[in-house]
C-alpha cells in the first residue's frame, strides 16, 4: 500500500493537504436519480463545519458516504492528505470517523450497552457487553442524559435514542465527528452541553460536521458553512461572511418569505359540524405497551388540526388506530357523526385519506404508477368492468392526470414507483389520497422528504382541501409546519395530548418545551 | 418406562443439535430450509466416512463439514445474492438429497464397523446437553458475539450503521448452523439408528425447524422440545410391537401431526406474544436501502 | 492491492432478463448434469441425444401435465408471497379423494363424462381443502405455511400408504399394495396416435393447456389478481389499501391446492387407473413443480412453457436412469442446481456487481 504520494496529491493546495477530511468530486445516484453531483467538501482540523440545505438536498447522503454507509459512484476521499477507501462503517471507525444519525440507527431488541459495544473495537467478541456499562453511565451523567445501559432500545423514546447515538460517537473518540441534525430533539440545556462538547473537540484539533436546518444554530456555532442545493455545492463560506439573508438565498436560490403566505389567511370556521371526534382513546404499540393514553379531541369541517410532537410519542399508534390498522384498547371514534364500527374496513380507507409516516407502506414499489394510483379504488365501479375486470386504460389515464396536476417527476404512468425519488413518492401518495376526495385527510410528516418548492405545494394543496370544507389532521415533528398550517394545535407527549388552543393563542416557546419534555416535568 | 426416557433422549439428541444450530442461523435473520437436506447429507457422508475409516468421530466431523459447505452455498445465494431464502433453502435440500443418494447409494445397508454408543450414559448425556444449551444461550444473550448475531437478525441496516459486517455475520451464522445440522445428521446415524438406507433422516430437518419456532429462538427451550419429539419417536417404535400392534403407516404420520399440532398450539395461544421471531428473519439485506 | 466487490441496485432490470435468466440457468444445470453423467461413465453426447429425443416424446407431455397444473398453482401462491410447499400432499389428496369416490361411490353405469366432471370436482376440492387448511392456519394464527404444508405432505403420504397396504388393498391384486382397478367408466381416455396408445390422458391435458391462460387473466386483469400481487409485493400497502390479506392467502391456497388436486386426479384416473403407493402417485411432482413456478418467473404462461421443459427433463432422466447407473437421486442434484442458478442469476438482473481494485 502506498500512501499519500499519488500524482494528484502533489497538486493539492495547502488547504486540502491539511484538511482532516477532503471529499473530492463525489457523485451518487439512487435508481437513476442523482442525489449528489460532483460535490467537493473539506473539513479542517479544529473546526465546526455546518452543512446547510433544504430537505432532499443531499446532506445526509454526503455524510453517509464519509461514514461508509453508502459508497459513491465516483469521487475520492482523502484523510489528512492520504487517499482512503471507505467501504463500510468499520473502515470509517478505523479511520476515526463517527456519525450521529439523523434517524437513530440502533437495534431495538438489544440493550444500550449491546448497541454501543457493537461499534467499539476494544470490546472483543467474547467480552460481555455489560462491561461498558459504567462508562456509558459516566458519559451520560456528564451530559445530563440519564441513559441506562441495560435498557433495551425499544423501551427508549426517540430523543433518548438520539442521545444513545451521541454517547456512541463520544465513546468512539473519533477525529471526525459527524452530527446529522442532532440537536432538534434536545432541551436547551442539553443543547448547550453538546455545543460545549463540540467546542472542546474543536480545541483538541478534531473536526466536526454538523448538519442542521436551523440557520440561527449554524450562525451561532459554525466556523464555516457549506450550502448544498439539489445535490450540488452552492458555496462554502466563513461564518464571518455569512448572514441570515445570504444563507437563505444560497439555500433556496432567491430570498423567500416563509411563514407568511398562509398565516395571513383567515382561520377555518370552528362552529360547524365535527368531521372527527375522538374520545378517551387508548392504543397499544407493537410491544403491548400503552402508546396512546386516553386521548380526546375533535376536528371540525374546514379545519386543520395540528399535533406536534417528537417521533415515538404515540402519534403513529394514534393514526393507525384511526385508519383501522390497529385495534384501540378503549375509547370511541366518530367520523361524520357516525360510530367507527358502523363503517366497514374498506369504507374507512375511503373516507380517510392517509399519508403515513413511512411512505413506503402506502405504495407498492415494484408496481407501475398507474397500478399504485388505484390502490384504494381498484374495486370500485369506477375501475371495474364486468364485475371483476380492472379497467387499466382508465387507471392509466387517471394516473397521467395525477402526474400532471401534482408535478410528479416521472416519464409516464408505467414507471415503477420504486424508481421515483423520495419527494415524488410522497407527492404520488398525496395526489392519490386527495383525489379520492375524502372528508378527512390524515397527514403524518407530509413534507419530510420534500424540497422548498414541493413543500409549498403540499401546504397549498392541504390548505385548499380544507377550504372546500374538509378536515385535516396534521401530525408533524416540525413545529413550524404545525404552526403554519393548523387552526388548532396540540402537542403529543408520551401518549397524551396537551392542548395548546387556537393558533393565535399558542405560546411557541412553551409548545417547544412541551414537545421535548412534556407538561409535568420541572 | 426408563428405557423409553433413555430412548427419547437418544432420539432427541440429533434434533437438539440441529435446532440449536438453526437457532443461531435464524437469529442472524437467515431461514435455512436447507437444514432438511443437510441433515440427510450429514447422515450419508458420515456413514460412508465411518465405513471407510472406522472412526466414528471423523464421521461426525465430515458430516459437519458437508453441512457447512451447503450452508455456505445458502449464504452466498441468499445473503450475498439476495435470493429468496425459502427458494434457496428448498433448492439446497433437493440438491443435498441428490448428493446424499449419490454418495451412499453403493453402500446401502453395510454394517458400520463402529458407532457412538450412549445407551448406558444417557443421564450424563442429558446433563451435557443441558449445559451445552445454557452455553449457547449465554453466548447469544450476554456476549458481544451474540449481540452481533442478534443485531443482524433484528435490524441489519442499524447493525451495519453500528459497524457490524452484516453479510459476514449472516453467512458465518448460516455456515455454523449448517455445520451443526450436518453433525446432527451424522449423530442420527452413528449415535442412534446405526445403519444407513437411502433417505435416512428425511423429515427430521423439518421437525428441527419447527422446534426452533416453538422454542422461541431460545437455546434454553430447545432441549425441552427436542426430547419431546425424541419421545414421540421412541414411542412409535414401541407401539408397533405387541401388545399394541398399531399400524406403522398411521404411526409414521404421528411425528408430523404432532409437529403441526404443537406449532398450532404455540401460535394460537397468547404465549406467542412473548416470543417474537427475529424482526428481519427472511428479509434480504441491502446496505443502501432507504431506511426512512 | 485488494479487490473489493460491491453491488448497486440497477435503475432498471436488465433487458430481456425474463428470458435470459431462465435460459441461463437451464444451460448451467444441463452442463452440470452432463458433467455428472460423464463422471459416472456415460458418453457426454448421450445426454443431449436423449434430451433431444425426449423433446418429441409423449412421455414428456405425460410428465408435463401434473407439473404444469401444480406449477401454475404454485406460481399464483408465490406471487402472493404464500409459500405453499404442499403440492405433493395436495396431489395426493386429489388422487386419494378421487380414488375413494371412484371405487366406492360412482355407480358403474354412470355416464363417463358426468363421472369425470364429478371426480375432477372432488379432486379439486380435496386439494383445495388441504391447501385451505394451511391457509387458514397462516391467516388466522400465523402458523408458518412452509412447515404446515410440508407436514401435511408427510401425513397424506402415510395415509395413502396406510390405505393401500391396509383397508383399500385390492382383492384382485395378489397382495400388492394397491387398490383394485377402477371401473372403466371413470377411466380418463388416453391419447392414441395411429395404433400407439400413449400415457397422455386427453381431458387433463386439455385442462393443463387452458388453466395457464385462465390464471394469467386472473392474475393480471382482475381485481383478485391485483389483490394477490399487492399482498405479495408489499403486505403493508395491502393493509393500507384495505385489502383483506387473509382472504387473499386463503384464495391462493385454494387455487394452488385445487390445481394440484386435479393433477392427482389425472394421475390415478388417467394413467394408473388404481391408487398405488404414495411415492409413486406423486413421484415428487409436487416438489418439482416449485421449480416450474420459478422457471416460469411466477407467470402462469411462463409456467406452462417451463412445465413442458421440466417434463422433458424428467422424461430424459427416467431414460438415463435405465441406460446408465445413475440413480433417481441424481435428478434432485440437477433440479436443485437449476433452482439455485435461477435465483442467483436473478440477482445479476437486479443488481450490478462493481469490482474495485484498491491500492
Ligand atoms: N437509500 C436511498 N434510496 C433511495 N433514495 C435515496 C436514499 N437516500 C436518499 N435518497 C434520495 O436522495 C436525495 C437526497 O436525500 P438526503 O441526502 O437524505 O437529503 P437531506 O439529508 O439533505 O434531506 C433525496 O431525493 C432522497 O429521496
Ligand atoms: Mg437528512
Amino acid at each position: 500500500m502506498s500512501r499519500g504520494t499519488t500524482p494528484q496529491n502533489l497538486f493539492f493546495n495547502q488547504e486540502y493537504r491539511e484538511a482532516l477530511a477532503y471529499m473530492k468530486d463525489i457523485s451518487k445516484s439512487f435508481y437513476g436519480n442523482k442525489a449528489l453531483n460532483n460535490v467537493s467538501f473539506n473539513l479542517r482540523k479544529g473546526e465546526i463545519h455546518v452543512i446547510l440545505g433544504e430537505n432532499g438536498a443531499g446532506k445526509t447522503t454526503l455524510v453517509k458516504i464519509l461514514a461508509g454507509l453508502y459508497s459513491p459512484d465516483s469521487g475520492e476521499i482523502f484523510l489528512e492528505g492520504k487517499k482512503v477507501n471507505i467501504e463500510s462503517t468499520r473502515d470509517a471507525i478505523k479511520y476515526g470517523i463517527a456519525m450521529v444519525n439523523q434517524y437513530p440507527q440502533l437495534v431495538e431488541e438489544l440493550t444500550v450497552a449491546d448497541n454501543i459495544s457493537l461499534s467499539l473495537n476494544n470490546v472483543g467478541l467474547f467480552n460481555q457487553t455489560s462491561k461498558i456499562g459504567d462508562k456509558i453511565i459516566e458519559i451520560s451523567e456528564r451530559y445530563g442524559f440519564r441513559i441506562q445501559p441495560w435498557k433495551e432500545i425499544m423501551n427508549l423514546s426517540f430523543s433518548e435514542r438520539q442521545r444513545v447515538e451521541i454517547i456512541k460517537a463520544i465513546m468512539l473518540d473519533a477525529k471526525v465527528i459527524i452530527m446529522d441534525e442532532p440537536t432538534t430533539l434536545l432541551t436547551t440545556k442539553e443543547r448547550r452541553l453538546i455545543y460545549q462538547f463540540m467546542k472542546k473537540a474543536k480545541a483538541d484539533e478534531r473536526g466536526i460536521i454538523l448538519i442542521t436546518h436551523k440557520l440561527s444554530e449554524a450562525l451561532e456555532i459554525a466556523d464555516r458553512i457549506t450550502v448544498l442545493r439539489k445535490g450540488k455545492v452552492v458555496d462554502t463560506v466563513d461564518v464571518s461572511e455569512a448572514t441570515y439573508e445570504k444563507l437563505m438565498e444560497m439555500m433556496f436560490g432567491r430570498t423567500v418569505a416563509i411563514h407568511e403566505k398562509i398565516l395571513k389567511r383567515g382561520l377555518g370556521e370552528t362552529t360547524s359540524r365535527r368531521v372527527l371526534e375522538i374520545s378517551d382513546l387508548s392504543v397499544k404499540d407493537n410491544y403491548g405497551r400503552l402508546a396512546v393514553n386516553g386521548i380526546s379531541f375533535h376536528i371540525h369541517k374546514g379545519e386543520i388540526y395540528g399535533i406536534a410532537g417528537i417521533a415515538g410519542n404515540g402519534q403513529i399508534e394514534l393514526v393507525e388506530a384511526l385508519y383501522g390498522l390497529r385495534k384501540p384498547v378503549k375509547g370511541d371514534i366518530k367520523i361524520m357523526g357516525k360510530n367507527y364500527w358502523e363503517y366497514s374496513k374498506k369504507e374507512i380507507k375511503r373516507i380517510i385519506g392517509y399519508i403515513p409516516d413511512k411512505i413506503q407502506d402506502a405504495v407498492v414499489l415494484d408496481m407501475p404508477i398507474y397500478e399504485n394510483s388505484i390502490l384504494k379504488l381498484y374495486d370500485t365501479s369506477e375501475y371495474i368492468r364486468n364485475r371483476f375486470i380492472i379497467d387499466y386504460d382508465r387507471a392509466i389515464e387517471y394516473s397521467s392526470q395525477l402526474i400532471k396536476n401534482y408535478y410528479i417527476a416521472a416519464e409516464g404512468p408505467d414507471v415503477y414507483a420504486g424508481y421515483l425519488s423520495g419527494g415524488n413518492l410522497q407527492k404520488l401518495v398525496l395526489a392519490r389520497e386527495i383525489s379520492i376526495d375524502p372528508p378527512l385527510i390524515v397527514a403524518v410528516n407530509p413534507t419530510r422528504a420534500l424540497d422548498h418548492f414541493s413543500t409549498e405545494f403540499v401546504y397549498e394543496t392541504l390548505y385548499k382541501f380544507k377550504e372546500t370544507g374538509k378536515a385535516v389532521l396534521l401530525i408533524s415533528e416540525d413545529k413550524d409546519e404545525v404552526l403554519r398550517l393548523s387552526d388548532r394545535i396540540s402537542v403529543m407527549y408520551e401518549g397524551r395530548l396537551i392542548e395548546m388552543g387556537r393558533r393565535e393563542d399558542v405560546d411557541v416557546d412553551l409548545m417547544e418545551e412541551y414537545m421535548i419534555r412534556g407538561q409535568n416535568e420541572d | 418406562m426408563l428405557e423409553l426416557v433413555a430412548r427419547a433422549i437418544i432420539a432427541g439428541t440429533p434434533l437438539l443439535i440441529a435446532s440449536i444450530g438453526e437457532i443461531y442461523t435464524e437469529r442472524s435473520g437467515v431461514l435455512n430450509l436447507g437444514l432438511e437436506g443437510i441433515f440427510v447429507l450429514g447422515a450419508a457422508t458420515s456413514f460412508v466416512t465411518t465405513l471407510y475409516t472406522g472412526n466414528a468421530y471423523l464421521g461426525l466431523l465430515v458430516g459437519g463439514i458437508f453441512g457447512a459447505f451447503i450452508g455456505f452455498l445458502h449464504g452466498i445465494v441468499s445473503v450475498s445474492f439476495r435470493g429468496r431464502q425459502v427458494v434457496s433453502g428448498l433448492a439446497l435440500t433437493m440438491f443435498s438429497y441428490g448428493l446424499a443418494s449419490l454418495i451412499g447409494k453403493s453402500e446401502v445397508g453395510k454394517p458400520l464397523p463402529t458407532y457412538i454408543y450412549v445407551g448406558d450414559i444417557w443421564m450424563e448425556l442429558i446433563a451435557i446437553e443441558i449445559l451445552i444449551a445454557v452455553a449457547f444461550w449465554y453466548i447469544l444473550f450476554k456476549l458481544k458475539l451474540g449481540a452481533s448475531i442478534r443485531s443482524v437478525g433484528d435490524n441489519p441496516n442499524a447493525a451495519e450503521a453500528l459497524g457490524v459486517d452484516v453479510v459476514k455475520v449472516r453467512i458465518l451464522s448460516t455456515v455454523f448452523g449448517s455445520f451443526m445440522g450436518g453433525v446432527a445428521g451424522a449423530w442420527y446415524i452413528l449415535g442412534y439408528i446405526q445403519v444407513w438406507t437411502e433417505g435416512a433422516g428425511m423429515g427430521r430437518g423439518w421437525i428441527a425447524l419447527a422446534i426452533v419456532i416453538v422454542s422461541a429462538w431460545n437455546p434454553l427451550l430447545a432441549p425441552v422440545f427436542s426430547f419431546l419429539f425424541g419421545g414421540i419417536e421412541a414411542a412409535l417404535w414401541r407401539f408397533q410391537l405387541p401388545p399394541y400392534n398399531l399400524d406403522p403407516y398411521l404411526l409414521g404420520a404421528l411425528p408430523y401431526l404432532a409437529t403441526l399440532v404443537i406449532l398450532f398450539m404455540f401460535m394460537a395461544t397468547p404465549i406467542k406474544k412473548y416470543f417474537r421471531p427475529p424482526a428481519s428473519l427472511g428479509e434480504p439485506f441491502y446496505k443502501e436501502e432507504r431506511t426512512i | 492491492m485488494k479487490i473489493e466487490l460491491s453491488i448497486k441496485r440497477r435503475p432498471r432490470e436488465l433487458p430481456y432478463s425474463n428470458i435470459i435468466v431462465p435460459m441461463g440457468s437451464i444451460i448451467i444445470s444441463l452442463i452440470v448434469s452432463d458433467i455428472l453423467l460423464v463422471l459416472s461413465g456415460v458418453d457426454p453426447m448421450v445426454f443431449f441425444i436423449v434430451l433431444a429425443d425426449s423433446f418429441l416424446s409423449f412421455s414428456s407431455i405425460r410428465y408435463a401435465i401434473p407439473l404444469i397444473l401444480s406449477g401454475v398453482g404454485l406460481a399464483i401462491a408465490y406471487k402472493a408471497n404464500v409459500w405453499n410447499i404442499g403440492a405433493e400432499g395436495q396431489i395426493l389428496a386429489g388422487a386419494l379423494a378421487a380414488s375413494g369416490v371412484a371405487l366406492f361411490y360412482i355407480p358403474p353405469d354412470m355416464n363417463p363424462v358426468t363421472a369425470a366432471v364429478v371426480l375432477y370436482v372432488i379432486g379439486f376440492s380435496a386439494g383445495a381443502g388441504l391447501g385451505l387448511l394451511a391457509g387458514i392456519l397462516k391467516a388466522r394464527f400465523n402458523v408458518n405455511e412452509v412447515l404446515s404444508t410440508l407436514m401435511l405432505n408427510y401425513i397424506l403420504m402415510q395415509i395413502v400408504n396406510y390405505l393401500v397396504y391396509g383397508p383399500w388393498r385390492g382383492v384382485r391384486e395378489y397382495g400388492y399394495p394397491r387398490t383394485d382397478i377402477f371401473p372403466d367408466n371413470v377411466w380418463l381416455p388416453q391419447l392414441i396416435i395411429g395404433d400407439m396408445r400413449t400415457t397422455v390422458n386427453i381431458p387433463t391435458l386439455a385442462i393443463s393447456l387452458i388453466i395457464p391462460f385462465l390464471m394469467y387473466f386472473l392474475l393480471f386483469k382482475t381485481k383478485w389478481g391485483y389483490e394477490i400481487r399487492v399482498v405479495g409485493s408489499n403486505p403493508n400497502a395491502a393493509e393500507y389499501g384495505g385489502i383483506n390479506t387473509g382472504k387473499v392467502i386463503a384464495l391462493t391456497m385454494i387455487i394452488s391446492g385445487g390445481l394440484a388436486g386435479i393433477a392427482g386426479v389425472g394421475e390415478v384416473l388417467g394413467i394408473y387407473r388404481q391408487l398405488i403407493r404414495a411415492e409413486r402417485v406423486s413421484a415428487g411432482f409436487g416438489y418439482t413443480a416449485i421449480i416450474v413456478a420459478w422457471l416460469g418467473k411466477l407467470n402462469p404462461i411462463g409456467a406452462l412453457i417451463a412445465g413442458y421443459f421440466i417434463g422433458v427433463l424428467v422424461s430424459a432422466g427416467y431414460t438415463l436412469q435405465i441406460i446408465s447407473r445413475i440413480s433417481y437421486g441424481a435428478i434432485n442434484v440437477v433440479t436443485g442446481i437449476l433452482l439455485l442458478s435461477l435465483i442467483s442469476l436473478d440477482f445479476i438482473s437486479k443488481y450490478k456487481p462493481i469490482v474495485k481494485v484498491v491500492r
Side-chain angles (χ1 to χ4, degrees), chain A residues 59-60 102 180-181 211:
Chain A
K59 307 179 297 287
T60 300
Q102 183 174 7
D180 194 354
E181 313 211 13
I211 296 179

Side-chain angles (χ1 to χ4, degrees), chain B:
Chain B
M1 189 59 211
L2 211 58
E3 191 202 9
L4 195 67
V5 174
R7 287 190 71 95
I9 303 303
I10 293 167
T13 299
L15 295 176
L16 178 67
I17 300 172
S19 54
I20 285 185
E22 179 68 12
I23 284 175
Y24 268 55
T25 307
E26 293 195 15
R27 278 282 178 181
S28 80
V30 181
L31 175 69
N32 185 5
L33 294 184
L35 184 64
E36 161 73 9
I38 287 168
F39 194 100
V40 171
L41 183 60
T45 52
S46 69
F47 171 75
V48 173
T49 308
T50 310
L51 205 60
Y52 281 92
T53 64
N55 185 337
Y57 295 96
L58 196 63
L60 277 186
L61 182 69
V62 169
I65 288 171
F66 271 85
F69 167 69
I70 300 291
F72 180 69
L73 289 181
H74 186 55
I76 294 296
V77 172
S78 72
V79 180
S80 300
F81 293 171
R82 284 154 196 75
R84 307 248 189 170
Q85 292 179 6
V86 174
V87 186
S88 167
L90 284 171
L92 284 166
T93 285
M94 292 180 191
F95 178 73
S96 309
Y97 275 178
L99 208 56
S101 133
L102 281 179
I103 289 172
K105 187 87 180 168
S106 48
E107 322 289 345
V108 176
K110 289 193 183 158
L112 274 172
T114 168
Y115 37 83
I116 299 170
Y117 186 68
V118 285
D120 300 334
I121 53 155
W122 61 270
M123 285 199 231
E124 288 88 333
L125 198 62
I126 300 185
I128 292 169
E129 288 180 6
I130 288 173
L131 271 181
I132 287 175
V134 171
F136 278 108
W137 171 84
Y138 179 80
I139 293 171
L140 199 53
F141 289 97
K142 296 293 165 198
L143 300 187
K144 178 170 167 179
L145 178 61
S148 314
I149 294 173
R150 287 186 299 138
S151 71
V152 303
D154 275 324
N155 186 346
N157 286 95
E160 183 76 31
L162 286 167
V164 181
D165 191 337
V166 175
V167 171
K168 194 160 113 191
V169 171
R170 283 193 164 184
I171 291 182
L172 287 180
S173 304
T174 309
V175 169
F176 169 74
S178 307
F179 177 84
M180 295 282 276
V183 171
W187 187 283
Y188 174 74
I189 295 296
L190 302 171
Y192 178 38
I193 63 169
Q194 295 158 3
V195 62
W196 189 85
T197 50
E198 175 134 26
M202 275 189 188
R204 281 179 184 66
W206 304 133
I207 291 178
L209 281 158
I211 291 174
V212 171
I213 295 176
V214 295
S215 307
W217 295 269
N218 188 335
L220 281 186
L221 288 177
V224 179
F225 291 101
S226 301
F227 296 148
L228 177 67
F229 279 102
I232 291 174
E233 212 178 305
L236 289 188
W237 158 84
R238 190 67 197 83
F239 281 121
Q240 287 182 33
L241 303 176
Y244 310 103
N245 290 325
L246 292 182
D247 183 272
Y249 291 102
L250 283 186
L251 281 176
L254 206 61
Y256 305 106
L257 192 62
T259 310
L260 201 54
V261 170
I262 291 175
L263 264 179
F264 168 73
M265 289 197 321
F266 180 79
M267 297 305 288
T269 50
I271 43 169
K272 80 155 197 204
K273 272 200 194 126
Y274 302 99
F275 305 114
R276 275 184 312 273
S280 299
L281 180 58
E283 307 270 325
F285 164 71
Y286 175 56
K287 190 175 152 192
E288 303 197 349
E289 205 74 68
R290 260 186 235 262
T291 47
I292 190 76

Side-chain angles (χ1 to χ4, degrees), chain A residues 276 278 295-299 304-310 313-316 318-319 322 442-446 472-479 481-483 486-493 496-500 511 515:
Chain A
L276 176 69
I278 288 183
I295 275 186
S296 306
F297 68 94
H298 58 265
I299 309 178
I304 297 183
Y305 187 81
I307 299 182
I310 292 161
N313 276 296
Q315 298 97 316
I316 302 302
L318 168 67
V319 294
L322 183 54
V442 177
V444 186
N445 295 321
V472 177
L473 172 59
L474 171 70
I475 295 196
S476 178
E477 291 169 28
D478 181 350
K479 80 169 192 310
E481 179 164 289
V482 172
L483 277 167
S486 320
D487 297 305
R488 282 185 303 129
I489 292 172
S490 61
V491 168
M492 194 158 183
Y493 185 78
R496 293 178 194 275
L497 275 193
I498 307 165
E499 292 275 354
M500 304 298 301
M511 176 175 165
M515 284 173 71

